[in-house]
mmCIF file of all heavy atoms in Angstrom:
data_model
loop_
_atom_site.group_PDB
_atom_site.id
_atom_site.type_symbol
_atom_site.label_atom_id
_atom_site.label_comp_id
_atom_site.label_asym_id
_atom_site.label_seq_id
_atom_site.Cartn_x
_atom_site.Cartn_y
_atom_site.Cartn_z
ATOM 1 N N TYR A 1115 -126.746 -9.201 115.787
ATOM 2 C CA TYR A 1115 -125.384 -9.215 115.149
ATOM 3 C C TYR A 1115 -124.438 -8.330 116.048
ATOM 4 O O TYR A 1115 -124.961 -7.536 116.820
ATOM 5 C CB TYR A 1115 -125.461 -8.502 113.781
ATOM 6 C CG TYR A 1115 -126.228 -9.370 112.788
ATOM 7 C CD1 TYR A 1115 -127.563 -9.350 112.579
ATOM 8 C CD2 TYR A 1115 -125.449 -10.176 111.936
ATOM 9 C CE1 TYR A 1115 -128.167 -10.173 111.738
ATOM 10 C CE2 TYR A 1115 -126.070 -10.949 110.887
ATOM 11 C CZ TYR A 1115 -127.403 -10.993 110.877
ATOM 12 O OH TYR A 1115 -128.032 -11.751 109.924
ATOM 13 N N MET A 1116 -123.144 -8.565 115.871
ATOM 14 C CA MET A 1116 -122.207 -7.754 116.691
ATOM 15 C C MET A 1116 -120.943 -7.574 115.803
ATOM 16 O O MET A 1116 -120.683 -8.271 114.801
ATOM 17 C CB MET A 1116 -121.853 -8.560 117.871
ATOM 18 C CG MET A 1116 -121.476 -9.995 117.593
ATOM 19 S SD MET A 1116 -120.267 -10.843 118.461
ATOM 20 C CE MET A 1116 -118.787 -9.900 118.385
ATOM 21 N N MET A 1117 -120.099 -6.674 116.248
ATOM 22 C CA MET A 1117 -118.718 -6.485 115.703
ATOM 23 C C MET A 1117 -117.725 -6.492 116.852
ATOM 24 O O MET A 1117 -118.150 -6.103 117.969
ATOM 25 C CB MET A 1117 -118.703 -5.099 114.912
ATOM 26 C CG MET A 1117 -119.519 -5.019 113.679
ATOM 27 S SD MET A 1117 -119.455 -3.460 112.908
ATOM 28 C CE MET A 1117 -117.701 -3.278 112.657
ATOM 29 N N TYR A 1118 -116.606 -7.019 116.579
ATOM 30 C CA TYR A 1118 -115.589 -7.044 117.628
ATOM 31 C C TYR A 1118 -115.054 -5.594 117.867
ATOM 32 O O TYR A 1118 -114.627 -4.937 116.989
ATOM 33 C CB TYR A 1118 -114.463 -8.022 117.251
ATOM 34 C CG TYR A 1118 -114.822 -9.436 117.136
ATOM 35 C CD1 TYR A 1118 -114.931 -10.079 115.819
ATOM 36 C CD2 TYR A 1118 -115.167 -10.190 118.203
ATOM 37 C CE1 TYR A 1118 -115.361 -11.363 115.734
ATOM 38 C CE2 TYR A 1118 -115.610 -11.464 118.108
ATOM 39 C CZ TYR A 1118 -115.699 -12.087 116.828
ATOM 40 O OH TYR A 1118 -116.044 -13.365 116.732
ATOM 41 N N ALA A 1119 -114.883 -5.320 119.124
ATOM 42 C CA ALA A 1119 -114.307 -3.977 119.540
ATOM 43 C C ALA A 1119 -112.768 -4.004 119.308
ATOM 44 O O ALA A 1119 -112.188 -5.043 119.358
ATOM 45 C CB ALA A 1119 -114.546 -3.727 120.962
ATOM 46 N N GLY A 1120 -112.241 -2.797 118.903
ATOM 47 C CA GLY A 1120 -110.796 -2.824 118.659
ATOM 48 C C GLY A 1120 -110.401 -2.386 117.303
ATOM 49 O O GLY A 1120 -109.159 -2.321 117.051
ATOM 50 N N ASP A 1121 -111.288 -2.150 116.369
ATOM 51 C CA ASP A 1121 -110.996 -1.820 115.010
ATOM 52 C C ASP A 1121 -110.920 -0.234 114.938
ATOM 53 O O ASP A 1121 -111.798 0.379 114.465
ATOM 54 C CB ASP A 1121 -112.028 -2.397 114.084
ATOM 55 C CG ASP A 1121 -111.586 -2.083 112.620
ATOM 56 O OD1 ASP A 1121 -110.452 -1.728 112.361
ATOM 57 O OD2 ASP A 1121 -112.445 -2.256 111.729
ATOM 58 N N ALA A 1122 -109.798 0.353 115.418
ATOM 59 C CA ALA A 1122 -109.701 1.719 115.430
ATOM 60 C C ALA A 1122 -109.589 2.508 114.053
ATOM 61 O O ALA A 1122 -110.021 3.559 113.870
ATOM 62 C CB ALA A 1122 -108.475 2.186 116.291
ATOM 63 N N ASP A 1123 -108.989 1.825 113.110
ATOM 64 C CA ASP A 1123 -108.794 2.485 111.809
ATOM 65 C C ASP A 1123 -109.948 2.244 110.845
ATOM 66 O O ASP A 1123 -109.963 2.879 109.879
ATOM 67 C CB ASP A 1123 -107.443 2.012 111.288
ATOM 68 C CG ASP A 1123 -107.304 0.561 110.918
ATOM 69 O OD1 ASP A 1123 -108.350 -0.114 111.075
ATOM 70 O OD2 ASP A 1123 -106.271 0.176 110.465
ATOM 71 N N ARG A 1124 -110.862 1.370 111.175
ATOM 72 C CA ARG A 1124 -111.986 1.163 110.366
ATOM 73 C C ARG A 1124 -111.790 1.218 108.923
ATOM 74 O O ARG A 1124 -112.247 2.046 108.137
ATOM 75 C CB ARG A 1124 -113.062 2.223 110.764
ATOM 76 C CG ARG A 1124 -113.640 2.026 112.119
ATOM 77 C CD ARG A 1124 -114.735 3.049 112.525
ATOM 78 N NE ARG A 1124 -114.158 3.887 113.484
ATOM 79 C CZ ARG A 1124 -114.286 5.227 113.481
ATOM 80 N NH1 ARG A 1124 -114.987 5.819 112.506
ATOM 81 N NH2 ARG A 1124 -113.800 5.966 114.438
ATOM 82 N N THR A 1125 -110.969 0.311 108.474
ATOM 83 C CA THR A 1125 -110.638 0.259 107.001
ATOM 84 C C THR A 1125 -111.848 -0.130 106.228
ATOM 85 O O THR A 1125 -112.783 -0.715 106.756
ATOM 86 C CB THR A 1125 -109.478 -0.778 106.787
ATOM 87 O OG1 THR A 1125 -109.818 -2.063 107.301
ATOM 88 C CG2 THR A 1125 -108.226 -0.303 107.327
ATOM 89 N N ALA A 1126 -111.926 0.192 104.965
ATOM 90 C CA ALA A 1126 -113.115 -0.034 104.051
ATOM 91 C C ALA A 1126 -113.361 -1.573 104.120
ATOM 92 O O ALA A 1126 -112.503 -2.380 104.135
ATOM 93 C CB ALA A 1126 -112.787 0.428 102.711
ATOM 94 N N GLY A 1127 -114.631 -1.813 104.010
ATOM 95 C CA GLY A 1127 -115.136 -3.134 104.005
ATOM 96 C C GLY A 1127 -115.378 -3.733 105.331
ATOM 97 O O GLY A 1127 -116.093 -3.062 106.195
ATOM 98 N N ALA A 1128 -115.054 -4.931 105.647
ATOM 99 C CA ALA A 1128 -115.275 -5.553 106.886
ATOM 100 C C ALA A 1128 -114.400 -5.032 107.976
ATOM 101 O O ALA A 1128 -113.412 -4.312 107.776
ATOM 102 C CB ALA A 1128 -115.123 -7.074 106.724
ATOM 103 N N SER A 1129 -114.623 -5.530 109.136
ATOM 104 C CA SER A 1129 -113.843 -5.119 110.395
ATOM 105 C C SER A 1129 -112.804 -6.138 110.755
ATOM 106 O O SER A 1129 -113.107 -7.340 110.833
ATOM 107 C CB SER A 1129 -114.819 -4.869 111.552
ATOM 108 O OG SER A 1129 -114.137 -4.562 112.661
ATOM 109 N N GLU A 1130 -111.530 -5.710 110.939
ATOM 110 C CA GLU A 1130 -110.461 -6.626 111.389
ATOM 111 C C GLU A 1130 -109.696 -5.937 112.465
ATOM 112 O O GLU A 1130 -109.310 -4.685 112.312
ATOM 113 C CB GLU A 1130 -109.595 -6.959 110.209
ATOM 114 C CG GLU A 1130 -108.447 -7.867 110.611
ATOM 115 C CD GLU A 1130 -107.509 -8.268 109.346
ATOM 116 O OE1 GLU A 1130 -107.916 -7.829 108.297
ATOM 117 O OE2 GLU A 1130 -106.612 -8.926 109.635
ATOM 118 N N VAL A 1131 -109.415 -6.535 113.565
ATOM 119 C CA VAL A 1131 -108.708 -5.988 114.644
ATOM 120 C C VAL A 1131 -107.212 -6.551 114.489
ATOM 121 O O VAL A 1131 -107.009 -7.787 114.447
ATOM 122 C CB VAL A 1131 -109.223 -6.514 115.995
ATOM 123 C CG1 VAL A 1131 -108.457 -5.916 117.190
ATOM 124 C CG2 VAL A 1131 -110.660 -6.092 116.141
ATOM 125 N N ASN A 1132 -106.279 -5.552 114.338
ATOM 126 C CA ASN A 1132 -104.886 -5.980 114.090
ATOM 127 C C ASN A 1132 -103.936 -4.897 114.618
ATOM 128 O O ASN A 1132 -104.332 -4.020 115.291
ATOM 129 C CB ASN A 1132 -104.666 -6.209 112.590
ATOM 130 C CG ASN A 1132 -105.083 -5.045 111.696
ATOM 131 O OD1 ASN A 1132 -104.957 -3.806 112.127
ATOM 132 N ND2 ASN A 1132 -105.678 -5.205 110.534
ATOM 133 N N ALA A 1133 -102.601 -5.064 114.154
ATOM 134 C CA ALA A 1133 -101.648 -4.256 114.774
ATOM 135 C C ALA A 1133 -101.838 -2.760 114.408
ATOM 136 O O ALA A 1133 -101.377 -1.789 115.147
ATOM 137 C CB ALA A 1133 -100.242 -4.641 114.261
ATOM 138 N N SER A 1134 -102.377 -2.417 113.230
ATOM 139 C CA SER A 1134 -102.583 -1.030 112.899
ATOM 140 C C SER A 1134 -103.540 -0.373 113.905
ATOM 141 O O SER A 1134 -103.433 0.894 114.166
ATOM 142 C CB SER A 1134 -103.136 -0.894 111.512
ATOM 143 O OG SER A 1134 -104.394 -1.348 111.313
ATOM 144 N N ASP A 1135 -104.373 -1.098 114.466
ATOM 145 C CA ASP A 1135 -105.343 -0.530 115.426
ATOM 146 C C ASP A 1135 -104.640 -0.248 116.787
ATOM 147 O O ASP A 1135 -104.921 0.732 117.455
ATOM 148 C CB ASP A 1135 -106.468 -1.503 115.767
ATOM 149 C CG ASP A 1135 -107.224 -1.844 114.458
ATOM 150 O OD1 ASP A 1135 -107.683 -0.912 113.782
ATOM 151 O OD2 ASP A 1135 -107.368 -2.997 114.175
ATOM 152 N N LEU A 1136 -103.588 -1.080 117.048
ATOM 153 C CA LEU A 1136 -102.802 -0.916 118.283
ATOM 154 C C LEU A 1136 -102.004 0.416 118.160
ATOM 155 O O LEU A 1136 -101.820 1.189 119.001
ATOM 156 C CB LEU A 1136 -101.942 -2.025 118.586
ATOM 157 C CG LEU A 1136 -100.994 -1.901 119.782
ATOM 158 C CD1 LEU A 1136 -101.823 -1.687 121.067
ATOM 159 C CD2 LEU A 1136 -100.078 -3.044 119.905
ATOM 160 N N SER A 1137 -101.512 0.686 116.915
ATOM 161 C CA SER A 1137 -100.746 1.892 116.665
ATOM 162 C C SER A 1137 -101.702 3.133 116.862
ATOM 163 O O SER A 1137 -101.260 4.125 117.448
ATOM 164 C CB SER A 1137 -100.321 1.910 115.176
ATOM 165 O OG SER A 1137 -99.378 0.921 114.944
ATOM 166 N N ARG A 1138 -102.859 3.102 116.452
ATOM 167 C CA ARG A 1138 -103.841 4.153 116.737
ATOM 168 C C ARG A 1138 -104.044 4.356 118.191
ATOM 169 O O ARG A 1138 -104.032 5.421 118.757
ATOM 170 C CB ARG A 1138 -105.201 3.902 116.040
ATOM 171 C CG ARG A 1138 -106.246 4.882 116.208
ATOM 172 C CD ARG A 1138 -105.953 6.034 115.193
ATOM 173 N NE ARG A 1138 -106.878 7.087 115.219
ATOM 174 C CZ ARG A 1138 -107.742 7.310 114.272
ATOM 175 N NH1 ARG A 1138 -107.835 6.567 113.179
ATOM 176 N NH2 ARG A 1138 -108.677 8.204 114.399
ATOM 177 N N TRP A 1139 -104.187 3.223 118.948
ATOM 178 C CA TRP A 1139 -104.325 3.304 120.426
ATOM 179 C C TRP A 1139 -103.088 3.943 121.054
ATOM 180 O O TRP A 1139 -103.170 4.806 121.967
ATOM 181 C CB TRP A 1139 -104.575 1.860 120.974
ATOM 182 C CG TRP A 1139 -104.619 1.940 122.468
ATOM 183 C CD1 TRP A 1139 -105.636 2.169 123.343
ATOM 184 C CD2 TRP A 1139 -103.454 1.708 123.380
ATOM 185 N NE1 TRP A 1139 -105.344 2.104 124.630
ATOM 186 C CE2 TRP A 1139 -103.993 1.839 124.665
ATOM 187 C CE3 TRP A 1139 -102.105 1.485 123.226
ATOM 188 C CZ2 TRP A 1139 -103.151 1.811 125.823
ATOM 189 C CZ3 TRP A 1139 -101.320 1.374 124.344
ATOM 190 C CH2 TRP A 1139 -101.869 1.529 125.620
ATOM 191 N N THR A 1140 -101.881 3.488 120.604
ATOM 192 C CA THR A 1140 -100.667 4.090 121.132
ATOM 193 C C THR A 1140 -100.587 5.605 120.952
ATOM 194 O O THR A 1140 -100.217 6.329 121.865
ATOM 195 C CB THR A 1140 -99.417 3.443 120.412
ATOM 196 O OG1 THR A 1140 -99.444 1.989 120.649
ATOM 197 C CG2 THR A 1140 -98.173 3.945 120.990
ATOM 198 N N ARG A 1141 -101.097 6.102 119.817
ATOM 199 C CA ARG A 1141 -101.044 7.558 119.544
ATOM 200 C C ARG A 1141 -102.032 8.193 120.419
ATOM 201 O O ARG A 1141 -101.778 9.333 120.853
ATOM 202 C CB ARG A 1141 -101.391 7.774 118.092
ATOM 203 C CG ARG A 1141 -101.224 9.202 117.680
ATOM 204 C CD ARG A 1141 -101.576 9.488 116.274
ATOM 205 N NE ARG A 1141 -103.007 9.476 116.122
ATOM 206 C CZ ARG A 1141 -103.592 8.795 115.052
ATOM 207 N NH1 ARG A 1141 -102.862 8.307 114.079
ATOM 208 N NH2 ARG A 1141 -104.883 8.769 115.013
ATOM 209 N N ASP A 1142 -103.216 7.641 120.709
ATOM 210 C CA ASP A 1142 -104.186 8.366 121.484
ATOM 211 C C ASP A 1142 -104.209 8.023 123.040
ATOM 212 O O ASP A 1142 -104.945 8.609 123.763
ATOM 213 C CB ASP A 1142 -105.625 8.016 120.882
ATOM 214 C CG ASP A 1142 -105.817 8.628 119.580
ATOM 215 O OD1 ASP A 1142 -105.113 9.571 119.259
ATOM 216 O OD2 ASP A 1142 -106.719 8.242 118.827
ATOM 217 N N ASN A 1143 -103.408 7.104 123.460
ATOM 218 C CA ASN A 1143 -103.331 6.691 124.804
ATOM 219 C C ASN A 1143 -103.130 7.910 125.757
ATOM 220 O O ASN A 1143 -102.302 8.704 125.456
ATOM 221 C CB ASN A 1143 -102.232 5.659 125.016
ATOM 222 C CG ASN A 1143 -102.240 5.137 126.456
ATOM 223 O OD1 ASN A 1143 -103.247 5.026 127.160
ATOM 224 N ND2 ASN A 1143 -101.047 4.723 126.951
ATOM 225 N N GLY A 1144 -103.988 8.042 126.814
ATOM 226 C CA GLY A 1144 -103.844 9.125 127.690
ATOM 227 C C GLY A 1144 -104.818 10.241 127.515
ATOM 228 O O GLY A 1144 -104.936 11.173 128.302
ATOM 229 N N LYS A 1145 -105.510 10.228 126.348
ATOM 230 C CA LYS A 1145 -106.487 11.219 126.102
ATOM 231 C C LYS A 1145 -107.755 10.888 126.750
ATOM 232 O O LYS A 1145 -108.162 9.748 126.777
ATOM 233 C CB LYS A 1145 -106.674 11.390 124.524
ATOM 234 C CG LYS A 1145 -105.414 11.930 123.831
ATOM 235 C CD LYS A 1145 -105.676 12.009 122.332
ATOM 236 C CE LYS A 1145 -104.418 12.511 121.769
ATOM 237 N NZ LYS A 1145 -104.540 12.654 120.218
ATOM 238 N N PHE A 1146 -108.514 11.919 127.219
ATOM 239 C CA PHE A 1146 -109.791 11.600 127.924
ATOM 240 C C PHE A 1146 -110.793 12.712 127.597
ATOM 241 O O PHE A 1146 -110.400 13.807 127.030
ATOM 242 C CB PHE A 1146 -109.515 11.470 129.411
ATOM 243 C CG PHE A 1146 -109.025 12.727 130.053
ATOM 244 C CD1 PHE A 1146 -109.806 13.655 130.575
ATOM 245 C CD2 PHE A 1146 -107.635 12.889 130.068
ATOM 246 C CE1 PHE A 1146 -109.280 14.818 131.184
ATOM 247 C CE2 PHE A 1146 -107.113 14.035 130.672
ATOM 248 C CZ PHE A 1146 -107.901 14.956 131.228
ATOM 249 N N GLY A 1147 -112.056 12.402 127.925
ATOM 250 C CA GLY A 1147 -113.088 13.395 127.690
ATOM 251 C C GLY A 1147 -113.557 13.416 126.219
ATOM 252 O O GLY A 1147 -114.269 14.336 125.830
ATOM 253 N N LEU A 1148 -113.194 12.353 125.411
ATOM 254 C CA LEU A 1148 -113.497 12.360 123.997
ATOM 255 C C LEU A 1148 -113.770 10.868 123.661
ATOM 256 O O LEU A 1148 -113.193 9.925 124.200
ATOM 257 C CB LEU A 1148 -112.354 12.771 123.150
ATOM 258 C CG LEU A 1148 -111.801 14.190 123.371
ATOM 259 C CD1 LEU A 1148 -110.448 14.327 122.683
ATOM 260 C CD2 LEU A 1148 -112.789 15.207 122.810
ATOM 261 N N TYR A 1149 -114.705 10.637 122.785
ATOM 262 C CA TYR A 1149 -115.003 9.318 122.168
ATOM 263 C C TYR A 1149 -114.124 9.152 120.862
ATOM 264 O O TYR A 1149 -114.642 9.416 119.843
ATOM 265 C CB TYR A 1149 -116.427 9.081 121.942
ATOM 266 C CG TYR A 1149 -117.221 9.045 123.287
ATOM 267 C CD1 TYR A 1149 -118.035 10.083 123.627
ATOM 268 C CD2 TYR A 1149 -117.121 7.935 124.078
ATOM 269 C CE1 TYR A 1149 -118.730 10.042 124.739
ATOM 270 C CE2 TYR A 1149 -117.852 7.845 125.283
ATOM 271 C CZ TYR A 1149 -118.566 8.921 125.664
ATOM 272 O OH TYR A 1149 -119.248 8.867 126.796
ATOM 273 N N LEU A 1150 -112.824 8.750 121.070
ATOM 274 C CA LEU A 1150 -111.966 8.607 119.898
ATOM 275 C C LEU A 1150 -112.019 7.182 119.350
ATOM 276 O O LEU A 1150 -112.530 6.290 120.109
ATOM 277 C CB LEU A 1150 -110.556 8.899 120.385
ATOM 278 C CG LEU A 1150 -110.312 10.288 120.840
ATOM 279 C CD1 LEU A 1150 -108.924 10.451 121.571
ATOM 280 C CD2 LEU A 1150 -110.482 11.232 119.751
ATOM 281 N N PRO A 1151 -111.640 6.939 118.187
ATOM 282 C CA PRO A 1151 -111.713 5.551 117.613
ATOM 283 C C PRO A 1151 -110.916 4.540 118.423
ATOM 284 O O PRO A 1151 -111.295 3.422 118.439
ATOM 285 C CB PRO A 1151 -111.091 5.761 116.234
ATOM 286 C CG PRO A 1151 -111.401 7.135 115.845
ATOM 287 C CD PRO A 1151 -111.249 7.922 117.171
ATOM 288 N N ALA A 1152 -109.920 4.991 119.162
ATOM 289 C CA ALA A 1152 -109.179 4.011 120.015
ATOM 290 C C ALA A 1152 -109.834 3.814 121.421
ATOM 291 O O ALA A 1152 -109.267 3.131 122.199
ATOM 292 C CB ALA A 1152 -107.786 4.483 120.148
ATOM 293 N N ASP A 1153 -110.898 4.552 121.647
ATOM 294 C CA ASP A 1153 -111.665 4.269 122.874
ATOM 295 C C ASP A 1153 -112.566 3.070 122.700
ATOM 296 O O ASP A 1153 -113.755 3.126 122.503
ATOM 297 C CB ASP A 1153 -112.506 5.516 123.198
ATOM 298 C CG ASP A 1153 -113.328 5.380 124.449
ATOM 299 O OD1 ASP A 1153 -113.013 4.485 125.319
ATOM 300 O OD2 ASP A 1153 -114.258 6.246 124.652
ATOM 301 N N PHE A 1154 -111.955 1.880 122.797
ATOM 302 C CA PHE A 1154 -112.625 0.633 122.437
ATOM 303 C C PHE A 1154 -113.809 0.261 123.391
ATOM 304 O O PHE A 1154 -114.728 -0.379 122.977
ATOM 305 C CB PHE A 1154 -111.596 -0.559 122.351
ATOM 306 C CG PHE A 1154 -110.526 -0.229 121.320
ATOM 307 C CD1 PHE A 1154 -109.236 -0.625 121.734
ATOM 308 C CD2 PHE A 1154 -110.788 0.233 120.164
ATOM 309 C CE1 PHE A 1154 -108.195 -0.300 120.805
ATOM 310 C CE2 PHE A 1154 -109.790 0.410 119.201
ATOM 311 C CZ PHE A 1154 -108.448 0.143 119.550
ATOM 312 N N ASN A 1155 -113.739 0.698 124.649
ATOM 313 C CA ASN A 1155 -114.874 0.313 125.526
ATOM 314 C C ASN A 1155 -115.833 1.529 125.672
ATOM 315 O O ASN A 1155 -116.734 1.413 126.494
ATOM 316 C CB ASN A 1155 -114.263 -0.067 126.865
ATOM 317 C CG ASN A 1155 -113.570 0.957 127.631
ATOM 318 O OD1 ASN A 1155 -113.429 2.152 127.131
ATOM 319 N ND2 ASN A 1155 -113.025 0.679 128.812
ATOM 320 N N LEU A 1156 -115.621 2.599 124.963
ATOM 321 C CA LEU A 1156 -116.542 3.668 124.894
ATOM 322 C C LEU A 1156 -116.839 4.356 126.155
ATOM 323 O O LEU A 1156 -117.879 4.797 126.564
ATOM 324 C CB LEU A 1156 -117.866 3.304 124.156
ATOM 325 C CG LEU A 1156 -117.694 2.854 122.687
ATOM 326 C CD1 LEU A 1156 -118.975 2.421 122.203
ATOM 327 C CD2 LEU A 1156 -117.126 3.958 121.910
ATOM 328 N N ASP A 1157 -115.800 4.505 127.051
ATOM 329 C CA ASP A 1157 -115.967 5.249 128.286
ATOM 330 C C ASP A 1157 -115.402 6.631 128.294
ATOM 331 O O ASP A 1157 -115.419 7.318 129.355
ATOM 332 C CB ASP A 1157 -115.256 4.421 129.445
ATOM 333 C CG ASP A 1157 -113.718 4.358 129.395
ATOM 334 O OD1 ASP A 1157 -113.196 4.878 128.377
ATOM 335 O OD2 ASP A 1157 -113.086 3.836 130.302
ATOM 336 N N GLY A 1158 -115.062 7.122 127.146
ATOM 337 C CA GLY A 1158 -114.482 8.475 127.005
ATOM 338 C C GLY A 1158 -113.108 8.757 127.316
ATOM 339 O O GLY A 1158 -112.645 9.838 127.422
ATOM 340 N N GLU A 1159 -112.422 7.648 127.550
ATOM 341 C CA GLU A 1159 -110.983 7.709 127.881
ATOM 342 C C GLU A 1159 -110.205 6.676 127.063
ATOM 343 O O GLU A 1159 -110.706 5.514 126.874
ATOM 344 C CB GLU A 1159 -110.685 7.383 129.354
ATOM 345 C CG GLU A 1159 -111.322 8.484 130.247
ATOM 346 C CD GLU A 1159 -111.121 8.190 131.766
ATOM 347 O OE1 GLU A 1159 -110.218 7.248 131.994
ATOM 348 O OE2 GLU A 1159 -111.681 8.883 132.567
ATOM 349 N N VAL A 1160 -109.020 7.022 126.541
ATOM 350 C CA VAL A 1160 -108.156 5.975 125.903
ATOM 351 C C VAL A 1160 -107.056 5.676 126.887
ATOM 352 O O VAL A 1160 -106.245 6.462 127.308
ATOM 353 C CB VAL A 1160 -107.587 6.540 124.648
ATOM 354 C CG1 VAL A 1160 -106.640 5.561 123.958
ATOM 355 C CG2 VAL A 1160 -108.674 6.985 123.661
ATOM 356 N N ASN A 1161 -107.070 4.344 127.392
ATOM 357 C CA ASN A 1161 -106.145 3.966 128.473
ATOM 358 C C ASN A 1161 -105.952 2.487 128.352
ATOM 359 O O ASN A 1161 -106.319 1.805 127.358
ATOM 360 C CB ASN A 1161 -106.667 4.383 129.826
ATOM 361 C CG ASN A 1161 -108.071 3.881 130.061
ATOM 362 O OD1 ASN A 1161 -108.442 2.854 129.629
ATOM 363 N ND2 ASN A 1161 -108.871 4.665 130.839
ATOM 364 N N ALA A 1162 -105.369 1.900 129.329
ATOM 365 C CA ALA A 1162 -105.043 0.543 129.434
ATOM 366 C C ALA A 1162 -106.222 -0.390 129.312
ATOM 367 O O ALA A 1162 -106.134 -1.569 128.774
ATOM 368 C CB ALA A 1162 -104.213 0.191 130.730
#
């Protein structure tokens, strides 16, 4: 089984990738050294 990457806000229930997740990415963009919800590829950095 798998889930699609990109669901930063993890709303209750199932997973949906949408504009609210992009808002979370915009807020956290440029942060590094942390595994944040907007770190969709799990490399410890939130970036392009």
